[in-house]
Amino acid sequence: MRLAVGGRIDRGKMLRFTWNGRALSGFAGDTIASALLANDVKIVARSFKYHRPRGLFAAWVDEPNAVVDVRWNGQHDPNARATLVALRDGMVITGVNGFPSVDRDVAASLDLLHRFLPAGFYYKSFMAPSWHYYEPRIRAMAGLGRVGEATETRSFETRNARSDVLVIGAGPAGLAAAKAARATGASVLLVDDRAALGGSLLWDTATIDDVPAHAWATAAIAGVRVLSRTTVFGAYDQGSFALLEDRAEAPEGWAAPRLWVVRAKRVIFATGAIERPLVFPDNDRPGIMAASAVLDYLRQYGVLAGRQVIVATNNDSAYGVAEALRDAGAAVEIADARDDAPAIPGIKVRSATVPLGTGGRGGLAWVDLGPRDGSRRDRVSADLLAVSGGWSPAVHLFSQAGGALQWDADLAAFVPMQAGQLVAGSVTGAADLATCLAQGHAAGLAATDAGDLVGPRTAAASPVRPILPLWGLDLPGTRQWVDYQNDVTAKDVRLAASEGYRSVEHLKRYTTLGMATDQGKTSNVNGLAILADATGQAISEVGTTKFRPPFTPVPLAAIAGLRHGALFAPLRHLPVHDDHLALGAEMRDYGGWARPACYRGIGETTEAAIKREAANARFRVGLFDGSSLGKIEVYGPDAAAFLNLMYYNEVANLRPGRLRYCLLLRETGVVFDDGVVGRLAADRYLLSPSSSHTAGVLAMLELWHQTEYPTMQVAFHDVTAAWATFAISGPKSRDVVAGLGSGADLSDQALPHMAMTENFIGSVPCRIARVSFTGERSYEVSVPSGYAQSLWQHLLDLGAAAGIMPYGIESLSVLRAEKGYILIGTDTDGMTLPVDLGLEGPLRAKKIDFVGKRSLLTPDATRADRRQLVGLLPADPETVPVPGSHAVLREGGASRSLGWITTACRSPVLQRSVALGMIESGRARMGEEISLFHLGKLSRARIVAPCFYDPAGEKLHG
Amino acid sequence: MLALPCPHCGTRDEAEFQFGGEPAVRPPSSVSDTVWADYLYMRRNEKGAHRELWCHAGGCGQWFVLTRDTATHAVLP
Ligand SMILES: [Zn+2]
């Protein structure tokens, strides 16, 4: 119920929402959880395995139960953690993992089968006929929220921050640390996962430096950079930390969370502690909550979680909670497991008493209280049982950052071993304000190695009575929960121990303890303490499971940030992109460039367009945009010598104005790229790598120059984007190029195949290279990119009378296949050597140690039965074989692969199907018929030379 | 999320760098197949101090050798 006063909510701003279709309301400042509790909602979820009803247990990141589905303003979070999401007006909230609803779940009958669903039941019970039969049915029942259909549209951004000191946690210790570090002049970043800084100071009645605690908290952060509602979820390399800033409260409304990467010289862990549940029979009933959470709901949200309250504890911390509940008007009784409990005014206190059982339908109605051996029980009516099993320091980030832990038997907790790391507050096990402030102050000074400053002053703490560790009750036949969400009981832990699981890591994986969305924040220590007891080990011997990021769930979208879609892999555009579109081009992604596949006419099929474009480029004249082809200029007195070391082919003897088709190899001898190398002058080359390899080729040249040949005088410059290149191909291409009036001598004597010339079209510099990817007479005309559009239009105009048509990549693919021109990465793979392509000349002729040479001399590289590039003519000329089809040989009753098809198409000029492939000993098999295998079907093909059209090259040379 | 020291640009984020692995001394082609194969494929892959090549690919383009502790990611002098 909501109290009339108290809490940090704004009672003037009512927020309406629905819970499972029921209209409810809360106030600004509520979380979903506090609003549900204020409306006396008892069941918020169903457990993962048994579908047991579960209520709110905690108030913050440690909440194990309350995962809900939230829709608001077009946004949908199917796995929202109710304690962490701020309530907003109009939210539609539903429970998950319950059908038809969490209130009335038909699968709850699963709970009756619990005897048959012990720990590890997956591995035992569902094996006949096979796990795959049961898996979909079990998964359907064990799900959390359902993923929505909508695509995430919010923008996830990443930010970086630096500071001298990073303080994690803004409770008393963190504030004192930040204040002290700032006072020494250091830059300080203080991060806290809640909206308001101060932790317990927000409601503490103590005074610090003679002012109220909350006022001191406000003043402490002067000059400190603060990130609130921000969770440090991971400690990473070199002292970097990853943070997630919750921006649900952003002015624009439920903005996407923001990822921060923070680097700081020193970090102070003031991460607090998490209260543990008590382990006793039927301790998972809705209405049983952590005592600290009950106080949190009361102080932060003005919500009284129950009117008739039993506070069950084994330590002193819950006494303050009992007093606060009494003061808020509840009837309160304390059950202290320890002897000699003190008398508290207005509260009945029982010593040596623990809860032995609970009951009630849809919530809590009574609690059985008695001694730990269960020898007596006293049934007491209650609508709320607030429990405290002690505190577990939140050592997650400290441990992630490499900090070691030790078991402190007096505190019954794993605490940080402080060796060079700075830790302050309740994460050290400190339990009172004065100690937390002193520790924080000392850590703040230590972080900057600065001198002495006076720390905050507050009243000394009263002595604390020691905790009585309680790790479950020895009461056979009872169900005592350890992990609420994943339904792991003390009995499951003991069963695992009896089956030989002594390691806590194995226990975790076998029972799923600590593997739910809360990542075991409440269950970890109870579980391993029970394991220690069951296996006869000390708790320190058992240890904890390894703490790994993230501390709380992080959306993958937040980690991806802006690196998705077009921002992840931006598609490069050609200089005349729009002109292609105007001509009806179908643009596709080819190696990171948007390039025309083909230019379909109205009503024309892709196949017909390819056929038309290819024929036009063969028999009349075609126009192709080759601007994406790489252009790397190489300068310097050692350019020729250096490139000769890089390329497989001889390039040093190339005369200025001449071009050569060359291969680049990896040092392993594998073909990395092919392209045309042109020499512009004695000390100047122009390389044309494949469109998608330009960056890789440039990187390779830089690597070899810098690491192997640093004294050579040579420099590289990628000018791909600076020049536009258009190829004019076909018998009439020279006439079209002549029309440009560049002044270049286009005669075959002056400009034969594989020659180039630098000229001007008007005042615009141009390069004309006679190079062909089609097998026809072809000219590549390049101009600075700014002139691309005028040149493109000019060429279309000049060629109009000759019947010029643009052709796209798909048409080019057919034209090059007919000629047997390979495509690196299509016809070659990570094993292809130049000799496999029939290019053996340079290996014999070149004496220097070019890249990859030695690898071509190994026994494997010189095997006679290597796969070699061949042409294949299918026996059925109408069938185009599928690339990837294997050539199979039947030998001694078994089939084996001889290789595979790499390229196949229907050739318009030959009017039949043709293919290229890599076939074992291919060159020795010329004329042989072989079998092709694809998807269970066999067909026949004949091995021929890898060139189907104009093998003498008469068209090429004119 | 390493921060690595480029000799030209100073300490920059790991995202700007390209890893080049352990540097290997290139032998002449007169060596045996075994020596050549070791150069191509065999790396020490040490735990602890590890010399390795990095390129400030997203910056100045400089290749450099760095010594890094492979267990802690600490950049060593
Ligand atoms: Zn640099």
Side-chain angles (χ1 to χ4, degrees):
Chain A
M1 65 172 275
R2 181 88 66 182
L3 300 174
V5 291
R8 303 173 56 79
I9 48 164
D10 182 353
R11 286 182 175 74
K13 279 191 196 148
M14 195 179 81
L15 307 177
R16 282 149 306 178
F17 68 100
T18 64
W19 165 246
N20 291 336
R22 199 148 62 92
L24 301 172
S25 69
F27 294 118
D30 262 329
T31 60
I32 289 174
S34 67
L36 290 174
L37 198 63
N39 284 282
D40 293 326
V41 170
K42 301 285 185 206
I43 303 172
V44 296
R46 291 273 167 174
S47 63
F48 202 65
K49 188 166 143 190
Y50 298 131
H51 288 238
R52 301 261 298 183
R54 290 285 151 79
L56 287 162
F57 177 81
W60 197 238
V61 292
D62 45 333
E63 166 59 28
N65 298 327
V67 174
V68 296
D69 180 293
V70 181
R71 289 168 193 275
W72 181 79
N73 201 21
Q75 300 292 334
H76 179 210
D77 185 345
N79 286 326
R81 305 188 67 208
T83 49
L84 303 182
V85 177
L87 184 72
R88 299 188 79 101
D89 195 53
M91 267 186 171
V92 176
I93 307 162
T94 38
V96 297
N97 201 26
F99 178 82
S101 76
V102 293
D103 306 317
R104 220 164 48 76
D105 179 4
V106 295
S109 54
L110 272 180
D111 193 36
L112 301 175
L113 302 175
H114 70 88
R115 271 177 233 290
F116 308 104
L117 303 174
F121 77 99
Y122 294 103
Y123 314 115
K124 295 171 181 164
S125 308
F126 294 96
M127 287 299 154
S130 110
W131 163 245
H132 303 290
Y133 172 79
Y134 298 101
E135 186 181 3
R137 291 157 179 82
I138 290 173
R139 293 259 183 268
M141 279 197 285
L144 291 171
R146 286 189 190 283
V147 176
E149 300 293 319
T151 307
E152 178 66 75
T153 55
R154 296 177 298 173
S155 179
F156 288 79
E157 61 178 39
T158 306
R159 289 194 178 178
N160 293 283
R162 282 172 181 279
S163 64
D164 293 329
V165 181
L166 168 67
V167 181
I168 306 173
L175 287 168
K179 186 176 193 286
R182 182 72 195 109
T184 67
S187 64
V188 180
L189 177 62
L190 175 64
V191 185
D192 195 88
D193 56 1
R194 301 193 81 145
L197 306 186
S200 60
L201 299 184
L202 292 173
W203 57 77
D204 202 311
T205 52
T207 60
I208 304 173
D209 291 345
D210 306 319
V211 296
H214 61 87
W216 178 86
T218 307
I221 56 170
V224 170
R225 185 176 180 188
V226 173
L227 278 174
S228 60
R229 291 200 72 91
T230 303
T231 305
V232 181
F233 67 79
Y236 294 92
D237 305 317
Q238 296 178 337
S240 57
F241 290 83
L243 287 54
L244 191 70
E245 181 187 1
D246 177 0
R247 302 182 64 237
E249 296 286 75
E252 62 266 38
W254 224 15
R258 181 187 277 155
L259 185 75
W260 289 81
V261 176
V262 174
R263 294 180 189 278
K265 291 180 192 144
R266 295 304 304 269
V267 57
I268 297 170
F269 299 91
T271 43
I274 293 169
E275 194 168 32
R276 291 193 292 262
L278 282 172
V279 181
F280 60 90
D282 294 333
N283 59 334
D284 69 328
R285 193 173 301 283
I288 301 176
M289 299 175 71
S292 58
V294 171
L295 185 65
D296 199 314
Y297 285 113
L298 179 66
R299 297 297 195 212
Q300 301 253 34
Y301 310 104
V303 173
L304 187 59
R307 293 167 216 220
Q308 201 172 1
V309 188
I310 295 170
V311 177
T313 186
N314 64 349
N315 67 88
D316 278 1
S317 69
Y319 278 75
V321 179
E323 288 168 327
L325 291 169
R326 173 200 64 196
D327 297 345
V332 185
E333 189 167 330
I334 294 178
D336 193 329
R338 301 169 296 179
D339 298 330
D340 305 323
I344 307 289
I347 296 176
K348 179 176 178 184
V349 184
R350 302 175 190 237
S351 294
T353 302
V354 297
L356 296 168
T358 65
R361 286 186 64 85
L364 186 72
W366 50 261
V367 179
D368 277 350
L369 297 176
R372 285 155 70 188
D373 61 6
S375 56
R376 277 186 296 106
R377 43 182 74 213
D378 189 359
R379 185 157 294 186
V380 183
S381 295
D383 61 355
L384 174 68
L385 174 57
V387 295
S388 179
W391 291 80
S392 298
V395 294
H396 310 67
L397 291 166
F398 172 83
S399 179
Q400 281 180 33
L405 305 177
Q406 63 188 352
W407 178 252
D408 185 319
D410 293 338
L411 295 170
F414 281 101
V415 297
M417 288 173 74
Q418 296 179 49
Q421 280 171 310
L422 300 172
V423 191
S426 51
V427 68
T428 70
D432 65 89
L433 181 60
T435 309
C436 289
L437 290 172
Q439 285 182 345
H441 181 73
L445 293 182
T448 57
D449 296 320
D452 236 3
L453 289 170
V454 177
R457 286 170 290 107
T458 191
S462 47
V464 174
R465 292 190 304 140
I467 184 172
L468 174 68
L470 268 184
W471 314 117
L473 301 177
D474 186 14
L475 298 171
T478 59
R479 296 168 85 189
Q480 307 181 29
W481 263 262
V482 178
D483 183 321
Y484 291 127
Q485 196 181 81
N486 270 359
D487 273 327
V488 180
T489 63
K491 190 175 146 193
D492 291 324
V493 176
R494 290 183 185 279
L495 176 68
S498 75
E499 292 181 358
Y501 293 91
R502 292 175 62 86
S503 153
V504 67
E505 297 287 357
H506 293 161
L507 172 79
K508 167 179 162 178
R509 284 151 186 81
Y510 189 58
T511 62
T512 73
L513 175 75
M515 288 169 73
T517 47
D518 69 326
Q519 288 284 289
K521 289 184 178 61
T522 53
S523 61
N524 185 301
V525 173
N526 282 339
L528 62 90
I530 294 167
L531 179 69
D533 182 55
T535 55
Q537 304 173 88
I539 292 175
S540 56
E541 284 178 88
V542 171
T544 67
T545 51
K546 185 169 174 58
F547 292 99
R548 293 188 178 88
F551 177 67
T552 47
V554 176
L556 292 176
I559 292 168
L562 296 176
R563 290 165 296 208
H564 62 86
L567 293 174
F568 178 71
L571 210 51
R572 298 178 75 177
H573 279 200
L574 297 162
V576 296
H577 182 85
D578 292 342
D579 299 73
H580 292 308
L581 294 180
L583 288 164
E586 182 189 335
M587 306 299 275
R588 291 189 203 158
D589 177 357
Y590 294 98
W593 288 83
R595 304 175 72 184
C598 62
Y599 304 78
R600 272 185 306 170
I602 294 162
E604 192 178 33
T605 63
T606 300
E607 197 177 20
I610 292 168
K611 192 174 165 185
R612 170 181 55 77
E613 290 174 10
N616 200 66
R618 280 245 183 277
F619 301 115
R620 293 199 284 185
V621 58
L623 179 60
F624 178 80
D625 189 344
S627 301
S628 62
L629 269 178
K631 300 168 206 79
I632 297 174
E633 292 200 21
V634 182
Y635 304 83
D638 293 327
F642 178 79
L643 289 178
N644 218 29
L645 285 163
M646 295 298 105
Y647 276 93
Y648 175 63
N649 308 71
E650 176 68 40
V651 294
N653 67 1
L654 199 61
R655 282 181 293 132
R658 288 294 184 269
L659 310 171
R660 188 167 290 159
Y661 173 78
C662 297
L663 297 181
L664 265 180
L665 312 185
R666 297 286 193 193
E667 188 75 311
T668 52
V670 169
V671 178
F672 167 52
D673 193 41
D674 67 348
V676 170
V677 175
R679 192 166 197 172
L680 298 167
D683 61 350
R684 197 158 155 237
Y685 282 80
L686 178 64
L687 319 180
S688 295
S690 324
S691 299
S692 55
H693 277 169
T694 309
V697 169
L698 185 67
M700 171 184 164
L701 298 176
E702 281 290 354
L703 172 66
W704 280 89
H705 180 225
Q706 290 186 33
T707 61
E708 201 65 36
Y709 304 107
T711 59
M712 283 189 150
Q713 292 187 51
V714 59
F716 321 99
H717 189 196
D718 181 357
V719 295
T720 306
W723 292 83
T725 300
F726 303 126
I728 303 98
S729 183
K732 296 178 181 172
S733 55
R734 178 160 51 184
D735 301 341
V736 176
V737 177
L740 290 171
S742 67
D745 183 349
L746 300 178
S747 70
D748 289 346
Q749 291 72 37
L751 194 68
H753 180 57
M754 301 307 271
M756 71 180 298
T757 172
E758 293 184 278
N759 296 91
F760 287 89
I761 302 171
S763 61
V764 178
C766 78
R767 289 174 180 160
I768 301 174
R770 188 144 167 220
V771 59
S772 176
F773 295 95
T774 61
E776 302 298 326
R777 170 188 292 275
S778 293
Y779 298 86
E780 281 185 353
V781 181
S782 301
V783 294
S785 297
Y787 295 95
Q789 201 167 26
S790 31
L791 178 62
W792 177 261
Q793 289 302 335
H794 194 36
L795 287 166
L796 286 173
D797 293 344
L798 286 171
I804 201 167
M805 283 181 195
Y807 60 99
I809 302 273
E810 295 304 320
S811 312
L812 180 66
S813 300
V814 167
L815 293 164
R816 68 99 192 164
E818 289 174 338
K819 285 293 292 181
Y821 294 157
I822 58 158
L823 205 55
I824 302 294
T826 297
D827 298 295
T828 70
D829 58 27
M831 292 180 287
T832 309
L833 307 180
V835 291
D836 304 336
L837 303 172
L839 301 168
E840 287 169 304
L843 178 58
R844 284 195 295 269
K846 252 176 111 170
K847 297 303 168 204
I848 58 168
D849 282 356
F850 57 85
V851 175
K853 181 187 182 183
R854 178 63 183 82
S855 296
L856 302 178
L857 305 173
T858 62
D860 186 65
T862 48
R863 263 172 31 223
D865 62 348
R866 292 188 61 84
R867 283 184 292 271
Q868 296 166 333
L869 179 73
V870 296
L872 292 142
L873 287 175
D876 173 8
E878 297 306 314
T879 306
V880 179
V882 177
S885 303
H886 277 253
V888 292
L889 185 66
R890 206 141 173 91
E891 252 179 358
S895 290
R896 73 178 182 90
S897 170
L898 290 176
W900 46 81
I901 303 275
T902 58
T903 287
C905 67
R906 183 176 164 79
S907 160
V909 67
L910 299 172
Q911 301 198 356
R912 58 156 301 140
S913 53
V914 298
L916 299 172
M918 296 295 291
I919 303 295
E920 183 183 298
S921 309
R923 287 197 287 275
R925 295 180 191 271
M926 288 297 151
E928 261 183 46
E929 269 230 345
I930 54 162
S931 294
L932 294 177
F933 178 88
H934 179 66
L935 296 179
K937 290 210 177 86
L938 284 171
S939 60
R940 305 284 290 169
R942 190 157 49 84
I943 296 180
V944 296
C947 180
F948 305 96
Y949 179 71
D950 185 28
E954 287 161 1
K955 308 260 180 190
L956 198 59
H957 296 279
Chain B
M1 289 193 285
L2 305 182
L4 300 171
C6 169
H8 285 163
C9 312
T11 299
R12 310 286 306 171
D13 191 88
E14 176 186 356
E16 296 179 14
F17 294 86
Q18 183 190 333
F19 183 59
E22 282 177 44
V25 176
R26 189 181 197 224
S29 61
S30 54
V31 298
S32 68
D33 289 337
T34 311
V35 171
W36 185 255
D38 282 353
Y39 154 67
L40 283 181
Y41 301 113
M42 300 306 282
R43 297 293 180 266
R44 296 176 61 82
N45 198 24
E46 300 233 36
K47 180 176 180 181
H50 185 256
R51 290 182 79 241
E52 55 200 26
L53 282 165
W54 287 87
C55 178
H56 193 196
C60 65
Q62 179 72 46
W63 281 95
F64 57 97
V65 176
L66 178 82
T67 307
R68 180 181 59 106
D69 187 316
T70 52
T72 65
H73 287 313
V75 175
L76 304 174

